[in-house]
Amino acid sequence: MRGAMIWLAAALSTASAAQSAPPSAESTAQARKFGALESIDQISLAPDGNRVAFVGNHPQGQMVFVVGLASGGLPTPIFTLPYNEGRLSWCRWASSERLVCKINYLVNDTGTVFGFSRLFAINADGTKAVKLTARTAEKAMSQTYYGGEVIDWDVPEAPGSVLMTRYYVPENTIGSNIRREDHGLGVEQVDTLSLKRRKFEIPRRDAQEFITDGHGTIRIMGTMAITQSGYSKDEMRYFYRMPNSREWRPLSTVNVVDPSKVEFDPVAVDRTKNVAYGFGQYNGTKALYSISLGEVSRKELLLSRSDVDVDSMLRIGRDGRVVGVSYATERRMNEFFDPELRKLSADLSKALPGKPAITFVDASQDESKLLMMASSDTNPGTFYIYDKQARQLAELLPVRSELQGTALATVKPVSYPAADGTQIPAYLTLPPGSTGKGLPAIVMPHGGPGSRDEWGFDWLAQYFAARGYAVLHPNFRGSAGYGAAWYQKNGFQSWRVAIGDVNDAGRWLVREGIAVPSKLGIVGWSYGGYAALQSSVLDPGLFKAIVAIAPVADLEKLRSQYSSFASFAINSKFIGQGAHVREGSPAQNAAAIRAPVLLFHGTIDANVNIDQSRLMSERLRGAGKQVTLVEFPGLAHSLHDAEARTKLLSQSDAFLRSAFGMEP
């Protein structure tokens, strides 16, 4: 495989016009605070409740830290991964002495970016680190990029072992009488210390997912048919096993492209009740269901809403016990089935300053100690340990230590009318202490498009609010979370409606007197970057400056990006074919764009290839437009680098101020 992983903090720029004035010292200082990486990316509690482990960021790279709770100790680093060698995704406890961690990697192979992963185990003191991902046999007919996932942390007969998925590849039999034809996804039981492994579930070529009961028994399997061309079809079929049986029985089907065709999408199994919990459609929105896993499957509706999707399951502990469900209206709401956690969540929210949202992150084996996070729009998040027996709450660590003591802006749920009168939900962030009138303003559409914005902390919006801008996040039609009718055909195939709603957000800011018409800009990331560019194709005079980060610029190019992946047919159907592909592609309509454009993109972006921004820059220059492209070599879609994010923020601010005729 050609192409090395080059992770550099430097950036390259190309421009068709003079650069805007350099950022001011104040802007750069603020950008450094808001652009700093999270102090904690992920955190977990040991089964005995005496230690936590977390993945944090450090100038040397990502680190795994362990904190002793009984002694009130400081975080001790036990493993370091330089930023140029991959990305630590998570670390969790296999036992009270042993951790399992996952690393993701990206490789650029002649312009195509591939991701792969590996799992390893390590002692809490940093010793005895070993790779858990199975070694690829020398005679394997292909390389496997999938390092596996842990699907069960509790194997009763083998403490310290886990159940891991593994993708098997057949072996070349030339020169050998032994024929190994294992192919597809299976499950292994792996001892995290000795590396002793045994096949737990035979591999199947069409298998995509296995779900256990949290106690070492596989109860559900998801499969997806493969075409003769090697592409996955767009329908998942789920099967279940009755207790003490190996026979697979049909459970449900799920269309992975059209959310309105989700029959039952299983997420978890309750061993005691012998039911599966999952999501399905009910009167146009996603709802929570249970299905009994006995001789006859009975489906029961547990919770639905007419206004929003019930979209997340609340789980706790090593066995992933289902304790409730959540959904987002103006704010995310949690409904607990567990009465103790329901009361505790309400009490803790009232007791902590600002009445933050409470999230239970992890629990000890006996659930006597809970790891939780409190967060809000003005609180990026603080982790706590709650001891049930002692009834004591102890503050542990902040999510963003660089922002401690910084005044942050409040976020207000609002709605505005689209051109056809539909009320569009949105979130308005105003500069701290401002009157909320006559401001420079930014419309900031979210990524996805199958996503939505929610009330809470957002580092991009908070930086711009600190610099004096009003920021509006619209949940335009095409967003997820509001039901199938709101989602429509998705934000690409229904781009005219989605982008029309985005533009109406800008018009509302002007009409309400919040934004000065000459100081209205748009900033977006991923699909949000696409929306930022396409907004000016639909209404060239509305926004006076465009900042697009890792944007989609050409829908046909995005479709073909996945041609070498098994998911090509699914992605092709999602994007669609027809006139909307050309009409909805900013790069094909660059001549219509009047506002200056600033583009940012990482060179090993596996989500949206950097060729999208390069094409957009080329087409804008060819049309005589003002455009600047900033490339971040070796960075992926999220631009997980403090220097890169600092540069993104400070240069965006300088660019907008120049376009708006403001002082740096």
Side-chain angles (χ1 to χ4, degrees):
M1 183 162 289
R2 296 179 295 274
M5 291 179 290
I6 306 171
W7 292 69
L8 304 172
L12 306 174
S13 300
T14 59
S16 64
Q19 298 280 336
S20 58
S24 66
E26 180 185 10
S27 174
T28 301
Q30 289 178 306
R32 196 165 299 282
K33 284 200 302 183
F34 287 95
L37 299 176
E38 293 88 342
S39 305
I40 299 176
D41 285 331
Q42 179 268 339
I43 190 169
S44 64
L45 179 63
D48 62 11
N50 291 329
R51 287 184 283 199
V52 297
F54 68 90
V55 177
N57 294 289
H58 188 274
Q60 297 176 12
Q62 282 183 294
M63 288 185 174
V64 180
F65 294 87
V66 172
V67 183
L69 301 178
S71 60
L74 296 174
T76 301
I78 65 166
F79 178 83
T80 301
L81 182 71
Y83 289 118
N84 63 346
E85 293 184 11
R87 175 86 184 271
L88 274 164
S89 177
W90 49 259
C91 282
R92 288 195 62 187
W93 299 87
S95 69
S96 294
E97 300 295 331
R98 195 94 171 129
L99 288 156
V100 174
C101 306
K102 180 181 180 180
I103 302 178
N104 291 321
Y105 305 88
L106 289 173
V107 172
N108 190 333
D109 183 16
T110 62
T112 301
V113 180
F114 292 90
F116 66 100
S117 62
R118 294 294 181 262
L119 269 62
F120 71 94
I122 189 171
N123 279 347
D125 63 0
T127 61
K128 298 183 179 180
V130 294
K131 185 171 76 171
L132 286 188
T133 298
R135 182 176 62 88
T136 302
E138 292 182 2
K139 292 186 177 182
M141 297 177 66
S142 63
Q143 175 68 274
T144 177
Y145 296 98
Y146 176 68
E149 291 288 346
V150 176
I151 62 171
D152 204 311
W153 297 89
D154 186 9
V155 184
E157 70 275 12
S161 295
V162 296
L163 296 187
M164 280 180 57
T165 52
R166 173 182 175 180
Y167 192 83
Y168 292 79
V169 295
E171 296 182 17
N172 192 329
T173 59
I174 297 176
S176 172
N177 293 324
I178 301 174
R179 185 176 183 84
R180 292 187 175 90
E181 295 182 336
D182 286 346
H183 193 188
L185 192 69
V187 179
E188 289 184 320
Q189 179 182 308
V190 183
D191 187 301
T192 62
L193 187 59
S194 70
L195 293 187
K196 182 180 179 180
R197 54 204 322 131
R198 72 178 180 92
K199 192 176 293 182
F200 199 85
E201 187 73 39
I202 60 172
R204 290 179 46 146
R205 178 89 191 280
D206 60 351
Q208 297 288 320
E209 182 182 8
F210 293 97
I211 300 174
T212 78
D213 63 359
H215 297 276
T217 302
I218 296 172
R219 298 295 307 277
I220 293 176
M221 174 180 65
T223 66
M224 185 177 285
I226 309 295
T227 67
Q228 290 185 343
S229 303
Y231 295 132
S232 301
K233 292 188 176 180
D234 62 0
E235 185 177 83
M236 282 278 285
R237 297 181 64 206
Y238 284 98
F239 301 84
Y240 77 97
R241 283 176 176 151
M242 292 199 303
N244 304 314
S245 171
R246 299 288 298 174
E247 177 191 357
W248 288 116
R249 295 166 171 254
L251 179 66
S252 64
T253 60
V254 171
N255 188 294
V256 298
V257 175
D258 186 349
S260 68
K261 297 178 181 178
V262 176
E263 185 180 298
F264 176 76
D265 189 1
V267 176
V269 172
D270 186 309
R271 180 179 64 171
T272 303
K273 296 180 179 179
N274 193 34
V275 300
Y277 293 105
F279 299 100
Q281 288 291 307
Y282 181 77
N283 289 340
T285 59
K286 186 187 294 187
L288 178 70
Y289 288 91
S290 68
I291 289 186
S292 59
L293 301 180
E295 189 70 41
V296 178
S297 292
R298 293 183 175 85
K299 186 177 178 181
E300 180 182 356
L301 176 66
L302 299 180
L303 184 67
S304 68
R305 291 184 63 91
S306 61
D307 53 345
V308 295
D309 292 333
V310 177
D311 56 10
S312 296
M313 210 167 286
L314 303 176
R315 307 178 68 180
I316 197 168
R318 291 170 59 74
D319 60 354
R321 183 170 69 94
V322 175
V323 295
V325 71
S326 80
Y327 51 86
T329 52
E330 290 185 341
R331 299 188 182 190
R332 181 150 291 273
M333 307 296 292
N334 295 331
E335 293 209 11
F336 287 96
F337 308 147
D338 185 305
E340 181 186 23
L341 291 176
R342 183 190 308 128
K343 183 177 186 305
L344 183 59
S345 175
D347 290 346
L348 290 173
S349 181
K350 292 176 183 177
L352 291 169
K355 296 185 178 180
I358 301 297
T359 304
F360 294 110
V361 178
D362 206 351
S364 58
Q365 182 82 44
D366 61 4
E367 295 190 16
S368 65
K369 292 182 180 178
L370 302 177
L371 174 62
M372 50 164 280
M373 184 179 74
S375 63
S376 69
D377 53 348
T378 58
N379 177 3
T382 304
F383 289 103
Y384 295 85
I385 294 290
Y386 181 73
D387 188 320
K388 288 184 181 179
Q389 295 175 351
R391 298 179 60 85
Q392 290 182 345
L393 183 68
E395 184 173 336
L396 188 59
L397 297 161
V399 174
R400 289 179 173 268
S401 57
E402 289 82 359
L403 289 177
Q404 287 188 299
T406 300
L408 298 177
T410 57
V411 179
K412 178 184 177 183
V414 297
S415 64
Y416 63 89
D420 63 1
T422 301
Q423 288 294 315
I424 309 299
Y427 295 93
L428 179 64
T429 307
L430 295 174
S434 74
T435 62
K437 300 293 182 181
L439 299 168
I442 295 168
V443 173
M444 192 174 287
H446 61 72
S451 180
R452 59 156 290 172
D453 276 313
E454 295 187 26
W455 178 87
F457 174 84
D458 180 278
W459 61 275
L460 272 173
Q462 288 289 343
Y463 167 76
F464 285 113
R467 294 296 296 152
Y469 300 86
V471 181
L472 185 66
H473 287 99
N475 279 323
F476 46 86
R477 282 169 287 185
S479 301
Y482 295 90
W486 192 269
Y487 185 75
Q488 301 200 354
K489 291 182 179 180
N490 77 56
F492 287 129
Q493 295 195 41
S494 305
W495 72 266
R496 287 189 183 276
V497 175
I499 304 306
D501 289 351
V502 170
N503 285 351
D504 286 334
R507 298 185 186 104
W508 179 80
L509 284 170
V510 172
R511 190 167 59 249
E512 292 294 307
I514 298 168
V516 175
S518 62
K519 298 177 181 178
L520 180 64
I522 186 167
V523 177
W525 200 314
S526 194
Y527 179 87
Y530 162 81
L533 294 167
Q534 190 67 7
S535 67
S536 286
V537 174
L538 209 58
D539 186 347
L542 180 62
F543 297 109
K544 312 309 177 187
I546 301 166
V547 178
I549 308 159
V552 172
D554 187 278
L555 297 185
E556 179 56 35
K557 198 172 185 68
L558 180 67
R559 197 175 71 87
S560 63
Q561 174 184 325
Y562 296 98
S563 61
S564 58
F565 294 86
S567 61
F568 173 66
I570 295 172
N571 288 303
S572 179
K573 187 172 288 189
F574 179 80
I575 294 166
Q577 294 177 283
H580 78 274
V581 172
R582 183 190 61 78
E583 295 168 357
S585 295
Q588 301 299 326
N589 300 277
I593 297 175
R594 298 179 194 169
V597 175
L598 176 59
L599 302 166
F600 295 97
H601 219 127
T603 62
I604 57 168
D605 190 332
N607 297 66
V608 181
N609 196 286
I610 191 172
D611 287 350
Q612 294 275 342
S613 282
R614 289 172 177 168
L615 175 65
M616 191 72 226
S617 178
E618 175 188 324
R619 294 291 174 84
L620 286 168
R621 289 198 307 272
K625 309 296 182 175
Q626 181 180 341
V627 58
T628 300
L629 169 60
V630 178
E631 297 187 6
F632 293 107
L635 292 186
H637 193 66
S638 64
L639 299 180
H640 188 261
D641 180 273
E643 290 302 318
R645 291 186 178 185
T646 298
K647 186 167 188 174
L648 182 155
L649 293 175
S650 60
Q651 287 197 354
S652 296
D653 178 44
F655 170 77
L656 292 169
R657 288 175 182 274
S658 176
F660 296 166
M662 298 167 57
E663 293 293 325

